[in-house]
Amino acid sequence: MANHDDSGKKSSENEVPTFNAENLQSNMKVVYYSRTFMSIIGGVIAGILGFTGLMGFVVYLLVMAITSVCLTARAGFSIHSYFDSWNRVLLDGFLGGLLSFVLFWTFAYDIVHIF
Amino acid sequence: MSVSFAVGVLAVLMLLHAAYSTIQYRALLKITEDEFTGPPYEVLVELILVLILSLFAGLTVPGNFRSILPDSDENRVVSLPSNMNFMIFNHRGKAFPTESSLKLILN
């Protein structure tokens, strides 16, 4: 067979929706890479601009919101043919990206403003 | 794919250039003893460009989204058997009149 299917069950529905888990995993990887890259770029930008404290986290939220919108646009606004729920594309790499963002933000701020 | 990768590399290079410009600007401010309120306008424009370019590169380089529905065109489970053991030719089709204009349509 060309593809093998895994079934995903939702307990509250009558029918069992099946989807191709291999493609779902590949889509999740794409989302994760995109978010990590944008977090890093956003971190360096926040460091260069000299933001400290809460303003930097506002920058992070902004960058993540823009990334989410662009990911949704890339999926053609029909999320259900590429992912099984909205949370996956909107919230998935959020905390991991936050850590990368803070790391590169501190890094860039130190290099540009302190040394 | 390599175009998007080049765009990503360009975005990172522009980011480094913006950082270097800001370092030089701060050195200048130290000489004139002014406060740092924000990087100069060119650096701001450059950073906005970096954001746009890196958005483009960050979304195109990892690859395309693939459909997860089982009934989409790229998820077809049926494929022609590539195993020659199951291709037999000694069947009842030989009772049909031969027509040389018949073409086999492969999907």
Side-chain angles (χ1 to χ4, degrees):
Chain A
M1 294 290 165
N3 275 326
H4 64 272
D5 281 26
D6 277 335
S7 60
K9 291 188 201 273
K10 291 184 194 165
S11 55
S12 59
E13 288 187 34
N14 290 332
E15 58 178 35
V16 176
T18 60
F19 46 81
N20 189 343
E22 182 185 327
N23 282 354
L24 178 69
Q25 218 174 19
S26 140
N27 293 347
M28 298 305 296
K29 243 199 298 188
V30 170
V31 168
Y32 179 70
Y33 285 161
S34 297
R35 275 201 197 279
T36 312
F37 182 66
M38 288 315 296
S39 313
I40 293 176
I41 298 280
V44 180
I45 289 181
I48 291 177
L49 289 175
F51 287 129
T52 55
L54 213 54
M55 274 306 291
F57 291 103
V58 171
V59 169
Y60 177 65
L61 286 177
L62 219 71
V63 167
M64 279 296 113
I66 294 176
T67 313
S68 292
V69 168
C70 288
L71 278 170
T72 318
R74 185 126 199 274
F77 290 105
S78 64
I79 291 284
H80 291 293
S81 60
Y82 297 108
F83 298 95
D84 57 346
S85 77
W86 273 96
N87 286 340
R88 288 200 190 269
V89 73
L90 290 181
L91 297 180
D92 188 50
F94 199 78
L95 282 183
L98 182 66
L99 296 179
S100 304
F101 172 83
V102 171
L103 175 68
F104 278 88
W105 176 23
T106 333
F107 203 51
Y109 187 86
D110 287 345
I111 290 182
V112 171
H113 296 282
I114 298 184
F115 291 118
Chain B
M1 146 94 185
S2 59
V3 172
S4 329
F5 190 71
V7 168
V9 169
L10 180 69
V12 171
L13 288 177
M14 281 175 64
L15 201 58
L16 295 175
H17 175 258
Y20 190 65
S21 308
T22 318
I23 294 176
Q24 282 184 321
Y25 178 69
R26 276 194 75 101
L28 185 71
L29 284 185
K30 235 180 268 190
I31 297 176
T32 63
E33 286 177 12
D34 274 336
E35 264 188 24
F36 178 80
T37 49
Y41 283 116
E42 294 87 11
V43 170
L44 283 175
V45 169
E46 196 169 8
L47 287 178
I48 292 178
L49 238 97
V50 163
L51 202 62
I52 295 175
L53 286 180
S54 59
L55 260 177
F56 171 73
L59 289 167
T60 359
V61 167
N64 275 325
F65 282 137
R66 281 185 265 180
S67 170
I68 62 169
L69 299 172
D71 52 350
S72 71
D73 275 340
E74 57 196 24
N75 283 349
R76 290 184 61 167
V77 182
V78 175
S79 59
L80 282 181
S82 52
N83 189 356
M84 292 302 289
N85 282 334
F86 295 103
M87 287 197 172
I88 55 171
F89 300 101
N90 185 19
H91 52 73
R92 292 177 292 178
K94 60 177 173 269
F96 281 115
T98 55
E99 199 174 322
S100 53
S101 63
L102 278 177
K103 287 194 201 139
L104 179 68
I105 302 174
L106 292 166
N107 270 339

